[in-house]
Amino acid sequence: MTDVSKQESIAAAGAVYYLFGATGDLARRKLFPALFSLYKEGKLAEDFAVVGLARRPRTNEQFREDVHESIKEFCRYKVDDALWSKFAEHFVYMPLDINNVEGFRELKGLTEQLDAKFGIPGNRLFYLALAPDLFGPVSFNLRDGGLLETQGWSRLVIEKPFGYDLESARKLNKQLNQVFQEEQIYRIDHYLGKEMVQNIQVLRFSNAFFEPLWNNKHIANVQITLAETVGVEERGGYYDKSGALRDMVQNHLLQMLSMIAMEPPSRLHPEDIRDEKVKALRSLRPFATDEEVARNVVRGQYTAGALKGKDLTGYREEDSVNPESKTETYVGARVFVDNFRWAGVPFYIRTGKRLPVKTTEVVIEFKNVPDNVLFANRHDLSPNLLVIRVNPMEGIYIKINAKKPGVDNVIQPVSMEFCQSCQIGINTPEAYERLIYDAARGESTYFTRWDEVAQAWAFVDRMAQAWREDNSELHTYAAGSWGPARMDEMLEEDGFFWWPVNGQEEDNVIWISGSSK
Ligand code: BG6
C-alpha cells in the first residue's frame, strides 16, 4: 500500500511571484492561465503570492477580475468557482513606476506582509514581461529597493528578445550581472518549454536505434520548419524593427537545431546539457562573406495573397509597418555544423509568417542503404525519414520502405506514427506552465544560458550585417505560399527537396500504426 505521507511533494517551494507587465498580453494569454494550471495540479501549494505590477492603477478586485477572465478564456482547465476563490486570494496588484525606487521600497513592505500571510520562506521570482530596455532599470531598482535582501532565493525570469544584436545583448547582460548571478537568470525561449522539443533528448538518448545513426554516415540532411499562418497582427511596430531573423531564428530555430545537433551530455545536469548545446552552436560554420550569406540564406517578405479563400494584405500594408520596409518576414538558410558528427550534412532551416500552414517540424532524412540486392536498379527507394512534430500536432513519425502486399518486388514507403496530441489531446501542459514550474524549482535546463545567447547572436549578426547593404536581395512571396522559390532551388542544388510537413498533402503513404488518420 502506498504511504501517502512518504510521497514526494510535487509542489515548488513557496515564493512571491512578481509579474512586471501584469496588464499586458503575455500575462493575460499565457502567464495567468499557466499559474492556474500549476495550482490545480498541486504544483503550487498554498504558500505563494502573485503581485501584479504595471503602471496603470488597478484595485486588487479589478486585477483579480482580469485574471479570472484570462483564465476562463485561455486556460486548458475549466475554472470551477471554489478553486478560483482559493486561487484568487493569492493575487494582489500594485501600480508601480519602474523608474522610481520609492515604489520598490513600498513593494518590499508589501512582500513582507505577503510572506507573513502565506507563510512564504523569503523566495522571490521576478518575472519581467517587459521590453528588454527595462530589464536593467528594473534590476537596479529591485536591488536598491531592498527586494533582494532575503533569506530565500531570488530569481529573475526574462522574456526575449535578449538584445538586438551581440553588442546590445552584451550590454544588457552586463547590466543584469551587476545585480544577478548567471545562475539566478532564467532567459525564456518558450520553444524550449514545448513538450516535443524536450522530447528530442529523450528520443535521441534513450533509443537504441536512433543515436547510432545520428551522424553524417547515415543522415543526408536535416530540415527544420517553423511555419506560421499569421501575419504580424497588431505587433507591426515591434516586428518591423526585429524581423524573422531576430524574432525566430536567433532563438527558437537555433535552439531546436542545437538540440538536434548536440553531443550526448555526460550527466543530465542543466550545465552539462547547456555545455553541449553551446558547443553545437559554436560549431556552426560562420558565413565568411556577404556572397556566402547571399548563396546560403534567403530573406523574404510577403506581398498580398490569399489563404483558405481569404484575401491577405502584403507586409508593407500592415499596421505600423513602414510602407518601404525591407524587414524580412521569412528566413530560410542552409547551415553546416562543422564537427566530426555532422561534417558535410546540410541543415536547412526556414521560418516565415503567412505561410500556408501553422506547423513546427523537424525532418531527419537518412541516406539510402548502400546496396539494395533485391530490387537494385529497378525501383527508386524513398529515403527513411524521422519526423518530429512539435507544434501544433505533437508526435513522431517514421517513414520506412516495405514490400507492397500482393505484388512481387515492389517497394513502397509506409509510415509508423506516434501521435501524442491524439492521445492526450489538448491536455499537454503549455510551455509556460513547464517553464514557470521549472524556474520555481531552480531547474534551468530549458532556459538559455548567456553563452548560448551570445553564440546565436554572433551567428545571425553576420547575416544581418550582409543585409544591411542596400544591394542585398529581398525576395518576395505571396501571402499563403511557401516562401521564396530561391529556398526550394537551394535544396535542389544539393539534390534534395523539402519534405511535406503536416497539413501538406503527401502521396503514397499508408499509415500502419498508431495513426490518427
Ligand atoms: C514568438 C514570436 O517568440 O513566437 C512570434 O515573437 C511567433 O512572432 C511566436 O508568432 C510563435 O510561437 P508559437 O508557440 O505559436 O509557435
Side-chain angles (χ1 to χ4, degrees):
M1 215 167 82
T2 319
D3 179 351
V4 177
S5 65
K6 286 198 182 135
Q7 275 178 4
E8 211 182 311
S9 164
I10 57 162
V16 179
Y17 295 76
Y18 303 82
L19 287 190
F20 289 81
T23 52
D25 216 39
L26 184 74
R28 192 171 73 88
R29 284 174 182 273
K30 301 288 181 189
L31 306 183
F32 300 143
L35 285 165
F36 185 76
S37 300
L38 293 176
Y39 185 66
K40 185 168 169 79
E41 291 178 353
K43 292 177 177 163
L44 288 179
E46 295 303 326
D47 54 351
F48 80 99
V50 178
V51 187
L53 297 156
R55 193 190 297 258
R56 195 181 302 177
R58 221 126 183 79
T59 62
N60 286 344
E61 286 61 41
Q62 285 170 325
F63 179 53
R64 287 174 189 158
E65 205 30 57
D66 294 344
V67 176
H68 200 187
E69 289 306 314
S70 123
I71 294 172
K72 282 194 280 189
E73 191 173 352
F74 296 109
C75 189
R76 67 191 172 96
Y77 286 118
K78 209 168 159 297
V79 187
D80 71 81
D81 290 347
L83 194 67
W84 160 251
S85 325
K86 275 178 69 197
F87 179 68
E89 281 171 25
H90 295 262
F91 279 70
V92 292
Y93 183 83
M94 192 186 127
L96 181 75
D97 170 2
I98 52 180
N99 293 309
N100 182 0
V101 70
E102 270 318 306
F104 286 76
R105 295 206 176 100
E106 239 178 79
L107 184 58
K108 186 174 189 208
L110 174 63
T111 302
E112 280 156 11
Q113 290 168 23
L114 294 169
D115 276 353
K117 178 170 176 190
F118 294 106
I120 299 168
N123 297 330
R124 320 278 179 238
L125 191 143
F126 304 104
Y127 197 119
L128 311 194
L130 298 172
D133 51 341
L134 302 175
F135 296 168
V138 169
S139 302
F140 296 141
N141 279 338
L142 286 173
R143 179 193 59 199
D144 300 342
L147 279 139
L148 306 180
E149 294 154 18
T150 174
Q151 299 297 317
W153 47 253
S154 300
R155 294 181 188 141
L156 180 74
V157 181
I158 47 186
E159 281 287 333
K160 71 173 247 289
F162 194 82
Y164 178 77
D165 54 15
L166 180 56
E167 196 190 330
S168 57
R170 270 204 187 114
K171 277 195 195 133
L172 178 55
N173 205 46
K174 223 170 170 181
Q175 289 186 332
L176 297 186
N177 285 159
Q178 289 176 46
V179 181
F180 294 98
Q181 309 283 328
E182 174 64 27
E183 304 72 62
Q184 294 177 286
I185 304 174
Y186 289 71
R187 295 179 196 80
I188 290 215
D189 181 318
H190 79 279
Y191 263 69
L192 292 182
K194 291 190 191 276
E195 190 65 51
M196 291 309 296
V197 173
Q198 299 194 353
N199 215 341
I200 293 174
Q201 267 191 59
V202 179
L203 187 69
R204 284 188 56 190
F205 304 135
S206 68
N207 288 300
F209 49 69
F210 292 131
E211 199 49 28
L213 303 181
W214 210 259
N215 56 49
N216 55 6
K217 287 189 194 62
H218 301 285
I219 291 179
N221 72 79
V222 177
Q223 305 182 2
I224 308 179
T225 299
L226 216 158
E228 296 188 276
T229 49
V230 288
V232 292
E233 317 295 294
E234 62 293 337
R235 297 163 75 224
Y238 150 78
Y239 195 88
D240 206 32
K241 289 195 203 81
S242 158
L245 186 68
R246 296 181 174 86
D247 189 50
M248 301 296 262
V249 179
Q250 188 273 342
N251 35 71
H252 309 323
L253 257 174
L254 290 184
Q255 282 295 322
M256 284 183 17
L257 187 151
S258 70
M259 307 265 305
I260 296 289
M262 69 189 257
E263 294 299 315
S266 48
R267 294 175 309 165
L268 269 191
H269 184 275
E271 297 315 326
D272 293 279
I273 294 170
R274 298 194 296 180
D275 284 349
E276 295 304 337
K277 281 171 63 199
V278 82
K279 263 164 62 186
L281 291 172
R282 230 181 270 137
S283 307
L284 283 172
R285 183 188 302 170
F287 297 111
T289 59
D290 288 1
E291 290 66 46
E292 273 187 25
V293 174
R295 206 168 45 247
N296 293 291
V297 188
V298 178
R299 76 168 168 154
Q301 189 186 73
Y302 63 82
T303 53
L307 189 57
K308 294 200 177 118
K310 203 175 142 218
D311 287 338
L312 299 169
T313 52
Y315 176 69
R316 290 180 183 181
E317 286 82 59
E318 300 275 16
D319 276 353
S320 317
V321 168
N322 175 355
E324 291 178 7
S325 174
K326 290 188 93 184
T327 299
E328 75 288 352
T329 58
Y330 175 100
V331 177
R334 167 173 51 203
V335 302
F336 289 93
V337 180
D338 278 342
N339 59 21
F340 259 58
R341 184 188 285 268
W342 293 112
V345 179
F347 283 69
Y348 302 108
I349 58 178
R350 62 177 169 174
T351 181
K353 302 256 183 224
R354 289 282 187 236
L355 299 184
V357 291
K358 162 84 178 157
T359 193
T360 301
E361 274 190 37
V362 181
V363 178
I364 316 282
E365 177 178 333
F366 290 87
K367 292 183 175 170
N368 275 337
V369 287
D371 188 19
N372 184 14
V373 276
L374 277 176
F375 307 106
N377 304 326
R378 276 199 277 153
H379 302 277
D380 283 340
L381 274 186
S382 186
N384 292 159
L385 301 181
L386 164 66
V387 179
I388 303 170
R389 286 180 170 152
V390 172
N391 193 23
M393 274 270 281
E394 292 176 353
I396 294 160
Y397 91 74
I398 297 172
K399 195 160 152 186
I400 55 175
N401 291 307
K403 179 180 172 300
K404 190 165 189 172
V407 188
D408 281 346
N409 294 355
V410 173
I411 307 177
Q412 63 179 4
V414 294
S415 300
M416 288 190 278
E417 184 185 23
F418 162 58
C419 174
Q420 179 161 284
S421 39
C422 310
Q423 290 182 10
I424 39 180
I426 56 152
N427 255 351
T428 3
E430 285 259 351
Y432 276 95
E433 288 172 47
R434 236 175 271 119
L435 294 173
I436 295 174
Y437 185 50
D438 280 356
R441 290 183 305 152
E443 164 54 76
S444 54
T445 305
Y446 294 112
F447 295 85
T448 49
R449 208 171 58 186
W450 163 244
D451 49 358
E452 296 178 68
V453 175
Q455 206 57 52
W457 273 126
F459 186 68
V460 302
D461 273 1
R462 188 63 194 81
M463 303 182 201
Q465 191 190 330
W467 295 347
R468 272 200 284 271
E469 306 306 324
D470 271 352
N471 56 5
S472 75
E473 194 170 2
L474 175 67
H475 298 259
T476 54
Y477 62 101
S481 73
W482 272 106
R486 169 66 197 133
M487 195 59 216
D488 297 330
E489 287 161 21
M490 200 189 289
L491 273 75
E492 272 166 36
E493 282 164 18
D494 299 345
F496 301 124
F497 56 86
W498 287 107
W499 288 97
V501 292
N502 187 40
Q504 260 179 292
E505 288 303 311
E506 191 184 6
D507 296 334
N508 266 337
V509 172
I510 299 175
W511 303 91
I512 59 175
S513 149
S515 172
S516 61
K517 312 237 158 167

